[in-house]
């Protein structure tokens, strides 16, 4: 159905892959780190060998039969998101949870017809954007009593429908992928500049549904800040909020819909606030002798009203593993950008502030795209393509992220690093690595993002990774962090999310779901744990 096919078991399209030259330094790092001469390479899964049951749904009404698919490729492609846990299951050939049907609506009428039909036959519905969820948001792992699972892929709803140059806003269909959205915005000489790491393969609807965070480290971190209104098809009907720059009229309907992760309806379009194209940029990398000096410098920057676009404190080990720096020091990658005014003076002020905390800017020759920050940026953008090569060699690379107030940061950081290192050793029987960087920073606290690598038992990669993640999540919550800053809740984070969410608000969200989705068919198990037929 899709013209250029996405890889069903890994990041990217079928014509894309990390090259052997690109993978060599990455794999060399892991040979050295794990002291392994050669990894045993397991082949990628193939459509004819994977374990997938027959579809339970075989009859389709005339109005939708042409947009529904039940072939193995489509069902495999929509079986998982793109976390390591997903990758481990895919490499095991386990597609037993495949959706029964994958539907490709061509317009909003189709979305309505599909939701109505699923309600009539008692099937669950999973909205699908780019499928880049790392929290099981699109995985058809459903416990309730359903006649089957219908995944609705928004691929064809990918156009800018209107542009308002006066308010500088655009009305956009939810299924548009990041690069396509920017290409279309460029024709109006504007940009959204919302760049999550998954930008290439995630959609506007997915960003809004999960409250994604983009590349802005401060100010406008979440997609929320760019949403002017939302139009959503729920089983109870269409809900569309008024286009407004702001409104104090009671609880915000948009703020309710954002973060519902497909559990009450499908976002079909939104008006988004866009920006003039960027004309001025500055970037610098600063190093610190001690990690704590970097932390204090970032706290000072975040509280000084400077608001850099990029403010990533990367610990010494992560800087080394990504090839950005030599591992002797943490690095702080700073950036400013503006459509209207030069930003060099802001960078100068920020670097001066860093010096007060012992920061040293790296040599001029090492600044810029081809050096420290450039190397890190390259690893960041290409990283998703490395995963299949790591999983096939039995290397677990997984991430988790949080946000915490500054007063609790140091304790959270040290207890999480200690807990995860210990869990890796206990679970896999050998040491691994745990690293941390800040993805976003607020005046009252950072959003630390942790990455761990380990060599689990080949037959139990997913299970062992999950054991480590449970220890990590418990440590994050105990130290006062949130279960997620931007990866969303999905199915994976539900137990911790339910602990974090105040119970009366949980009850109110459950009531809201019952009103919008009376048959409980929308993405069961996500945000609201109750499912159809559960006691
Ligand atoms: C390599 C990698 C890097 C990532 N980097 C970031 C990052 O920098 N920042 C960040 O925030 N996240 C990041 N993520 C997580 C993920 O990309 C985000 O959650 C993203 O917003 C998901 O968008 P999507 O279109 O792929 O949605 P999907 O993965 O398809 O869906 C995510 C959830 O939203 C629901 N959904 C999707 N579309 C709609 C719709 N139109 N209406 C209603 N519900 C819908 C789905 O049912 C599901 O619950 C990353 C993931 C990967 C794999």
């Amino acid at each position: 159905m899709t013209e250029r096919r996405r890889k069903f078991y890994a990041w990217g399209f079928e014509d894309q892959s990390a090259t052997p030259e690109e993978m060599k330094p990455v794999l060399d790092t892991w040979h050295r780190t794990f002291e392994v001469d050669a990894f045993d390479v397991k082949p990628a899964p193939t459509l004819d060998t994977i374990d997938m049951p027959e579809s339970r749904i075989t009859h389709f009404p005339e109005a939708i039969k042409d947009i529904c698919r039940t072939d193995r490729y489509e069902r495999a492609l929509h079986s998982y998101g793109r976390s390591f846990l997903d990758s481990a299951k895919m490499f095991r050939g386990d597609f037993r949870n495949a959706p029964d049907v994958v539907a490709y609506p061509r317009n909003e009428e189709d979305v309505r017809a599909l939701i109505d039909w699923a309600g009539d036959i008692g099937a669950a519905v999973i909205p699908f954007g780019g499928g880049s969820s790392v929290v099981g948001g699109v995985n058809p792992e459903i416990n309730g009593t359903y006649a089957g699972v219908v995944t609705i892929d928004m691929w064809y709803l990918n156009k800018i429908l209107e542009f308002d140059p006066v308010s500088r806003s655009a009305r956009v269909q939810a299924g548009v992928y990041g690069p396509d959205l920017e290409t279309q915005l460029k024709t109006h000489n504007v940009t959204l500049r919302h760049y999550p790491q998954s930008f290439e393969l995630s959609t506007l609807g997915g960003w809004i549904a999960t409250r994604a965070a983009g590349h802005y480290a401060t100010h406008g971190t979440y997609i929320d800040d760019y949403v002017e209104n939302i139009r959503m098809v729920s089983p109870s009907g269409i809900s569309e909020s008024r286009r407004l720059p702001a409104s104090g009229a009671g609880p915000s309907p948009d703020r309710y819909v954002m973060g519902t992760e497909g559990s009450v309806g499908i976002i079909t379009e939104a008006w988004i606030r866009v920006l003039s194209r960027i004309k001025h940029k500055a970037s610098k990398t600063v190093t610190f002798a001690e990690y704590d000096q970097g932390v204090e410098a970032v706290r000072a920057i975040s509280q000084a009203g400077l608001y850099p676009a990029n403010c990533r404190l990367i610990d010494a080990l992560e800087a080394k593993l990504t090839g950005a720096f030599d591992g002797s020091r943490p690095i702080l990658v700073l950036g400013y950008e503006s459509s209207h005014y030069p930003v060099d003076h802001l960078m100068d002020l920020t670097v001066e502030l860093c010096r007060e905390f012992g920061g040293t800017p790296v040599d001029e020759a090492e600044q810029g795209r081809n050096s420290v920050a450039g190397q890190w940026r390259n690893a960041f953008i290409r990283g998703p393509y490395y995963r299949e090569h790591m999983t096939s060699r039995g290397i677990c690379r997984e991430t988790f992220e949080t946000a915490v107030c500054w007063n609790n940061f140091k304790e959270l950081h040290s207890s999480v690093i200690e807990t995860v290192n210990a869990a890796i050793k206990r679970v896999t029987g050998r040491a691994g690595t745990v690293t941390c960087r800040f993805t976003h920073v607020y005046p009252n606290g950072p959003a630390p993002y942790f990455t761990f690598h380990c060599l689990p038992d080949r037959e139990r990669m997913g299970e062992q990774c999950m054991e480590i993640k449970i220890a990590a999540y418990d440590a994050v919550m105990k130290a006062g962090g949130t279960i997620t800053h931007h990866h969303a809740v999905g199915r994976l984070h539900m137990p911790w999310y339910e602990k974090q969410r105040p119970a009366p608000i949980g009850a109110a969200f459950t009531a809201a779901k019952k009103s919008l989705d009376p048959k409980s068919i929308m993405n069961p198990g996500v945000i609201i744990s109750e499912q159809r037929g559960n006691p």
Side-chain angles (χ1 to χ4, degrees):
M1 187 67 120
T2 58
E3 291 77 14
R4 189 180 171 214
R5 293 209 325 180
R6 289 163 281 183
K7 264 188 200 168
F8 79 84
Y9 61 88
W11 189 253
F13 287 85
E14 287 177 341
D15 55 8
Q16 290 176 310
S17 191
T19 62
E21 297 74 43
E22 209 179 345
M23 285 313 297
K24 186 169 181 323
V26 178
L27 294 173
D28 282 352
T29 299
W30 299 110
H31 281 295
R32 277 196 308 274
T33 308
F34 293 124
E35 297 174 349
V36 170
D37 293 335
F39 292 108
D40 175 26
V41 185
K42 200 171 171 181
T46 57
L47 283 175
D48 48 347
T49 55
I50 57 177
D51 184 4
M52 182 190 287
E54 292 296 313
S55 170
R56 289 168 289 180
I57 301 174
T58 48
H59 296 293
F60 303 95
E62 200 54 34
I64 54 162
K65 79 173 178 8
D66 290 344
I67 56 172
C68 291
R69 300 287 301 261
T70 55
D71 56 277
R72 278 171 89 78
Y73 166 74
E74 290 295 348
R75 293 178 61 213
L77 173 66
H78 295 85
S79 294
Y80 289 104
R82 289 295 176 262
S83 69
F84 172 77
L85 297 168
D86 296 324
S87 179
K89 284 191 192 154
M90 289 191 273
F91 268 81
R92 208 154 62 182
D94 182 354
F95 287 77
R96 287 172 295 171
N97 289 317
D100 296 277
V101 179
V102 177
Y104 282 93
R106 303 277 175 161
N107 49 46
E108 192 180 86
E109 261 315 299
D110 285 347
V111 175
R112 289 179 69 166
L114 285 162
I115 289 180
D116 286 350
W117 166 66
D120 290 346
I121 64 168
V125 170
I126 299 188
F128 193 99
S132 68
S133 171
V134 285
V135 291
V138 293
N139 300 15
E141 287 154 5
I142 291 172
N143 304 323
T145 317
Y146 294 91
V149 177
V150 179
T151 290
I152 300 185
D153 188 320
M154 299 293 282
W155 175 268
Y156 288 110
L157 277 82
N158 59 9
K159 295 280 176 298
I160 293 184
L161 301 174
E162 262 179 90
F163 178 61
D164 168 359
V166 179
S167 317
R168 217 180 46 194
S169 320
R171 180 176 153 226
V172 186
Q173 289 184 307
V176 69
Y177 278 48
D180 191 11
L181 173 60
E182 282 297 332
T183 304
Q184 293 185 55
L185 287 174
K186 201 170 178 185
T187 63
H188 300 284
N189 210 20
V190 291
T191 173
L192 176 61
R193 283 194 82 67
H194 176 78
Y195 296 117
Q197 190 192 10
S198 54
F199 173 75
E200 260 186 287
L201 287 164
S202 56
T203 62
L204 176 67
W207 300 340
I208 296 174
T210 60
R211 303 189 51 220
H215 80 296
Y216 282 119
T218 63
H219 256 342
T221 52
Y222 285 108
I223 190 70
D224 311 23
D225 300 311
Y226 305 93
V227 170
E228 200 172 272
N229 94 328
I230 298 175
R231 188 172 162 94
M232 176 178 78
V233 178
S234 76
S236 294
I238 291 181
S239 149
E240 182 169 15
S241 58
R242 185 176 285 227
R243 260 192 82 195
L244 290 167
S247 168
S252 157
D254 293 341
R255 294 246 164 215
Y256 168 69
V257 170
M258 289 189 284
T260 48
E261 302 184 27
S263 64
V264 291
I266 298 190
I267 298 160
T268 51
E269 56 185 73
W271 275 91
I272 51 169
R273 210 182 273 174
V274 290
L275 312 168
S276 301
R277 298 189 71 75
I278 298 298
K279 293 205 183 96
H280 305 275
K281 281 188 186 179
S283 77
K284 278 258 187 303
T285 304
V286 177
T287 70
F288 296 87
E290 300 295 332
Y291 184 66
D292 284 353
Q293 292 175 316
V295 171
E296 285 308 314
V298 172
R299 182 164 76 87
I301 294 166
S302 73
Q303 294 175 346
L306 281 163
Y307 303 117
N310 198 356
C311 187
R312 287 178 197 268
L313 180 67
I314 301 165
D315 73 16
L317 183 56
E318 181 155 329
K320 182 178 175 195
L321 294 174
T322 51
F325 208 58
D326 62 10
S328 62
R329 293 170 150 240
I331 61 174
L332 174 59
V333 181
L334 293 163
Y336 280 94
E337 54 181 58
S338 166
S339 326
H340 299 292
Y341 50 83
V343 289
D344 295 324
H345 66 294
L346 294 171
M347 182 58 84
D348 292 344
L349 285 170
T350 309
V351 170
E352 269 320 298
L353 200 46
C354 289
R355 285 189 205 278
E356 286 178 27
F357 294 89
T360 316
V362 301
D363 289 346
E364 261 331 291
E366 291 291 310
Q367 304 279 9
R369 290 215 157 191
N370 296 324
S371 53
V372 180
Q375 182 62 35
W376 187 82
R377 187 175 176 275
N378 189 49
F380 177 74
I381 290 172
R382 295 296 295 164
Y385 291 94
Y386 303 165
R387 166 150 289 143
E388 61 179 292
H389 302 281
M390 310 271 279
T391 308
S392 68
R393 286 165 174 80
I395 305 168
C396 163
R397 178 191 187 282
E398 186 56 309
T399 62
F400 59 96
E401 37 76 65
T402 183
V404 66
C405 291
W406 285 116
N407 65 327
N408 283 332
F409 169 70
K410 282 183 188 160
E411 193 207 319
L412 180 140
H413 178 258
S414 56
S415 75
V416 167
I417 297 271
E418 196 180 309
T419 302
V420 178
N421 270 321
I424 290 175
K425 226 169 177 173
R426 174 172 48 79
V427 173
T428 69
R430 64 199 296 171
T433 63
V434 191
T435 61
C436 180
R437 67 174 186 262
F438 290 169
T439 54
H440 303 84
V441 197
Y442 303 89
N444 51 340
Y449 186 103
F450 296 89
T451 304
F452 67 89
H453 289 85
C454 61
L455 271 190
D457 180 324
R458 251 344 240 277
E459 299 310 312
R460 297 191 305 131
M461 292 205 296
E463 292 83 345
Q464 292 198 337
C465 173
M466 192 58 210
E467 240 185 279
I468 297 162
K469 285 198 95 165
I470 289 172
Y473 291 150
D474 287 344
V476 162
M477 295 291 283
K478 191 167 168 219
T482 167
I483 186 59
T484 177
H485 170 264
H486 59 263
H487 276 172
V489 175
R491 295 182 168 78
L492 185 66
H493 289 159
M494 273 302 283
W496 294 272
Y497 167 65
E498 285 189 302
K499 272 187 214 151
Q500 181 173 333
R501 183 176 63 189
I505 297 295
F509 284 179
T510 304
K513 165 138 173 132
K514 281 198 175 122
S515 167
L516 290 162
D517 176 22
K519 293 181 181 167
S520 195
I521 58 168
M522 298 304 303
N523 219 356
V526 172
I527 304 296
I528 304 300
S529 53
E530 213 174 288
Q531 301 191 27
R532 208 173 141 119
N534 282 167

